[in-house]
Amino acid sequence: ITGIEANINDSWVKINNQNYTMSCIGSSPYYCNYTFIGTNNPYNFTAYIRDKVGNINNTETRKVTIDTINPQIIITYPTNNSNFSYQNININYTVSDINLASCRWTNNSGLSNNSLINCVNINNQNWSEGLNNVIIYSNDSAGNINSSSVNFRVDLTAPSISIASLTNNDIYKDLYSYNLSLNVSASDSGVWVQAYKYSLNGNSNITFTPNITFIGIAGQNNLTVYVNDSLGNTNSSSITFNLTFT
């Protein structure tokens, strides 16, 4: 503090109702100070100065809060590395801080931040197909910052599939016991292929692992091969062929 007094006696500061003696240098004006090491708490302090005849004056009371603790934030949904077959995914998180000021989020590039008024969850957001990386930041009024992130994938696209070993509308002759090779190729850019099934001539689906042999019937055969990923995205390929003996 700065004190203007020709006959200063002493000076002190009251911090949360505890008095501490201040050291002063100079002579009207006097420059008085006290170094205080606090912890993470609020503090009220008032400075006083007294002359040699007992007259006292004081400053206004000021309040400061020491806060060196980052906000606590954690994303609770979705779990990291989750996969979804839809785009409207809510992101839930919890955040706490005695001096919480604001929250915001960014996705993938991080080039733009989106404010979350009152630190609410991220709702009604349609995420891009593919891998999404969402980071939620929180800061308090002292400038302490923390963040939590989650990765998840949106996969709306069914796997691609083709039948490689048979040709549509072709005729196959003199095959022993009508044994046929079923070779297929499939790919998926998302969560990858989970299962293969085939149906011959309208019969029940049979699960298989490429590549296999199967038995056709004499005459026309209708074959459909199905493929799906772990999110239930399904695709199929169908051909018609004939078996005959010459």
Side-chain angles (χ1 to χ4, degrees), residues 70-90:
N70 292 333
Q72 299 299 303
I73 182 170
I74 184 169
I75 295 175
T76 58
Y77 182 85
T79 56
N80 201 38
N81 298 320
S82 296
N83 298 306
F84 297 91
S85 60
Y86 51 90
Q87 293 176 282
N88 192 340
I89 302 160
N90 293 336

Side-chain angles (χ1 to χ4, degrees), residues 1 3-8 23-33:
I1 64 169
I4 301 175
E5 168 59 47
N7 299 299
I8 188 172
S23 60
C24 300
I25 60 173
S27 59
S28 196
Y30 289 91
Y31 300 98
C32 305
N33 69 81

